[in-house]
Amino acid sequence: MIDAINSLSSMTSNSIGTQGVTESRFVNTEQANAIADVDETGKSFTDYFAKVSSDAIATIKQGESASIAGIQGKESVQNVVQAVMDAELTLQSAIAIRNKIVSAYQEVSRMAI
């Protein structure tokens, strides 16, 4: 799953703009700031999606490293739980976004030409 998300960060396309994208479910404060940065610089939706996916990968990797450090006794339980919960929320958000994309693709493919 992480490799699939990571492969999206290498995609670049300027054909999809960010105007009209207003839904903000599953967006935390850091992601909202990233959205504001993208809108100000005029980058494409693909660039924004690549940044979000790389941030998601970093969050999941941070959760993994915190859990390993917790097992080794190098990290406090509170920090381990917080990092794992952040990683879980990120993974759930990525799965929800994937499901929405698949659903939208299926709906478009059922349309009459």
Side-chain angles (χ1 to χ4, degrees), residues 7 13 17-18 21 28 32 40 56 66 79 81 83-85 103 106 113:
S7 68
S13 171
T18 57
V21 179
N28 61 26
E40 291 173 6
N79 290 341
V81 169
V84 169
M85 294 295 285
S103 174
Q106 288 174 341
I113 296 178

Side-chain angles (χ1 to χ4, degrees), residues 9 37 83 103:
S9 64
D37 292 342
S103 174

Side-chain angles (χ1 to χ4, degrees), residues 1-11 50 53-54 57 61:
M1 176 76 176
I2 292 175
D3 293 332
I5 294 172
N6 195 21
S7 68
L8 293 174
S9 64
S10 63
M11 293 174 46
S53 64
S54 64
I57 292 167
K61 285 182 180 179

Side-chain angles (χ1 to χ4, degrees), residues 37-107:
D37 292 342
V38 170
D39 288 342
E40 291 173 6
T41 59
K43 293 183 180 176
S44 70
F45 179 75
T46 305
D47 295 334
Y48 166 73
F49 194 70
K51 180 176 178 0
V52 169
S53 64
S54 64
D55 290 347
I57 292 167
T59 302
I60 292 172
K61 285 182 180 179
Q62 184 180 13
E64 289 177 352
S65 64
S67 63
I68 291 171
I71 290 171
Q72 294 173 345
K74 298 178 181 177
E75 191 73 43
S76 71
V77 174
Q78 181 180 4
N79 290 341
V80 170
V81 169
Q82 183 66 38
V84 169
M85 294 295 285
D86 287 344
E88 181 181 6
L89 180 62
T90 300
L91 183 61
Q92 288 175 352
S93 299
I95 290 170
I97 290 168
R98 181 207 58 193
N99 291 344
K100 288 288 188 175
I101 291 170
V102 169
S103 174
Y105 174 77
Q106 288 174 341
E107 189 172 327

